[in-house]
Every structure is written in C-alpha cells, then in structure tokens.
Amino acid sequence: MEKSDYSVREGFDRAAPVLYSECLTSTNSVLKRLAADGAASGTVLWAREQTAGRGRLGRSFLSPEGGIYLSVLWRPGCPPEKTVSLTACAAAALCRWIEGYGLKPEIKWPNDVLLDGKKLSGILTEGFTAPDGGFSVVLGIGVNVNTESFPEELADTAVSLRMATGRIWELDGLARELIAQLDGMYRLWCAGPGAFLKEYRSRCTTTGHEVLLESGGLSIPARAVGINDDYSLAVETAGGERRDVRFGEVSVRMQH
Ligand code: BTN
C-alpha cells in the first residue's frame, strides 16, 4: 500500500508545483503515478522521510527523518537515450549546491556525490513513456542531512552533512536551494546536454583510479581513464582493452 499524503508547498517562483509530504513510501514511485495522471513537467515531490526508498540497481535507499528525499518530473520530449546525461548533470548540480555551503563535494561515477570520500547523496533516474506517447523522466535525489549515525553496513561508506560539519541543518532552506539549482540545471541541459561536461569531468574523482566493474556475478578489474562526451566512463582492463561503461550497465567499485 502506497502512502501518498502530500500538499502543495507555497512560496516557489516556478511554473510547476512543489508537493510536500512528511512521509511517503518513495517519492519516485508516487511521482511516477502522478506523471501517469498528467502531472506537469517540472513537478517536484519532496518528503521528509521515506518508508520504501529505492536506490539504483534494485537496491533500497535508507530514508529516515532528517534527510531530503526529492523527485522531479521532466518531460523533455526527446528519445530516451538522450536523457541519460540528465543524471550526470544533476550530480554536477548537486555539487554546485553543496559547494554553496562551503563544502568540497566530488562525484563518484556515475552519480554518487561524496564528501570526504563517503556517500552523501545518490540519484535514481527512471524513464517511462507517458500515455500520450512522450518520454518522461523522474529523477530522484536522496541527501543525508541530519543523520547522526548509520547502521553498521553503511557506517564506513556513508556520511551526512551533520557528520561532516558537526551542526544540524535547516531542511527547508536547503531543499529550496536544491530545487532552484535543479531548475537552473534543467534549463542548461535543454540548451545542450554537454553544458556540464567540463564541470563533470573536473568533479568526478573516479578517473585515474583502479575500479572493479561488477556485473552478472563477475568482477572485472580495470582502470578508469576518462569521461566520454556522453558521460560514459572510459576504462582500460588489465589486458589493455579499452571499454566504455554506460549508466546502469555495471556497478563501479573504486579501489583505493
Ligand atoms: C542510489 O544511490 O542508489 C540512488 C538513491 C536515490 C534515492 C532517492 S530518495 C528520493 C527518490 N525516491 C526514491 O525512492 N529514491 C530516490
């Protein structure tokens, strides 16, 4: 059963609504349903807590109170393959947002945002064809904000703004800034998906590292050598073979 109590949040200077909820199952799941019912491009759904937050590759995403869980619907009107770059651009926009608070984020390819080498935020992008035949995207962002500690299995790899800075953050202001940053990013992306390429390359610290490409039970060691123009990851395997790794194809584990 999907929890879907939300209301329109006032005070945003944008065409599409920002919907707000204290607690939802998953903002991506609920917004996809609203999209099927005709929600406008740009609609945002923001929750303070999720009971069934979802991550990439079928994983769950821990979403306790104290974080920002936010999804945005876009109807870009272009073929699905062109929308892949949206996720990378959103990661760059997230970095701009976090940097605005004097912090130094970095991107782990394709779209994890790290602070001090630990995951602060993740992005899940889901594309689907609307009943009118147009392609739509729901891009969901989860940010660990005021979490004090993580369960054992995440303790070595996750961080929150509170843990990184030692202070409690006011969620409303943060979320408003994040939405403004995403709106600006989408405008730039519509003008040309390459708009963030230079920035993405400089922010992505996966390049130059040894990585493990994990897919279908196999784990292939490789070296990340660059970010291609379509934001895919260029790698070189131990045998010297060059490969381009695309979003969703493999899970990349960095070797330090
Ligand atoms: C990942 O790191 O694997 C992606 C995590 C994405 C989590 C966000 S939280 C808001 C939106 N709703 C979800 O159920 N997932 C995304």
Side-chain angles (χ1 to χ4, degrees):
M1 167 80 169
E2 211 158 66
K3 286 177 82 172
S4 52
D5 294 334
Y6 53 79
S7 55
V8 175
R9 192 81 166 190
E10 303 295 344
F12 287 89
D13 185 19
R14 62 201 296 282
V18 173
L19 308 173
Y20 171 80
S21 173
E22 290 293 324
C23 182
L24 287 178
T25 46
S26 152
T27 55
N28 264 35
S29 303
V30 176
L31 188 54
K32 272 163 66 180
R33 201 157 37 73
L34 296 180
D37 291 344
S41 182
T43 300
V44 166
L45 180 58
W46 157 32
R48 271 192 136 74
E49 184 182 352
Q50 294 185 124
T51 54
R54 295 186 291 109
R56 292 176 63 236
L57 307 168
R59 297 178 186 134
S60 59
F61 187 80
L62 185 71
S63 312
E65 201 186 338
I68 292 176
Y69 313 104
L70 180 151
S71 300
V72 54
L73 166 69
W74 287 311
R75 302 188 186 276
C78 63
E81 60 278 9
K82 291 232 163 111
T83 59
V84 171
S85 56
L86 259 179
T87 313
C89 295
L94 267 171
C95 286
R96 283 189 188 184
W97 169 64
I98 292 158
E99 225 166 52
Y101 298 97
L103 300 166
K104 296 211 177 313
E106 60 194 72
I107 296 172
K108 176 183 166 237
W109 188 90
N111 52 25
D112 282 349
V113 173
L114 312 183
L115 261 188
D116 305 327
K118 293 185 172 185
K119 180 163 165 171
L120 177 77
S121 173
I123 303 174
L124 173 67
T125 308
E126 298 180 286
F128 52 94
T129 305
D132 67 359
F135 190 72
S136 300
V137 164
V138 165
L139 181 140
I141 296 173
V143 191
N144 305 320
V145 181
N146 288 325
T147 312
E148 276 187 277
S149 63
F150 290 95
E152 204 181 320
E153 64 277 14
L154 295 176
D156 289 342
T157 54
V159 71
S160 67
L161 285 179
R162 180 175 182 176
M163 290 158 75
T165 62
R167 73 172 174 95
I168 294 175
W169 292 68
E170 196 262 311
L171 292 173
D172 271 54
L174 277 179
R176 280 174 191 276
E177 290 292 329
L178 173 56
I179 292 165
Q181 195 63 252
L182 289 171
D183 286 345
M185 180 282 286
Y186 187 63
R187 275 193 296 276
L188 284 173
W189 180 87
C190 287
F196 285 86
L197 198 50
K198 193 165 165 233
E199 179 175 340
Y200 186 94
R201 283 186 175 129
S202 72
R203 292 186 184 281
C204 180
T205 51
T206 310
T207 309
H209 275 86
E210 301 300 319
V211 297
L212 282 178
L213 308 177
E214 298 182 319
S215 174
L218 286 177
S219 201
I220 304 164
R223 184 173 179 78
V225 292
I227 303 293
N228 297 312
D229 288 356
D230 62 355
Y231 298 90
S232 61
L233 182 70
V235 300
E236 241 171 51
T237 61
E241 185 205 349
R242 166 99 186 218
R243 271 182 63 181
D244 296 331
V245 181
R246 295 194 161 68
F247 298 144
E249 205 179 23
V250 294
S251 162
V252 170
R253 181 143 27 113
M254 267 161 78
Q255 308 273 85
H256 292 282

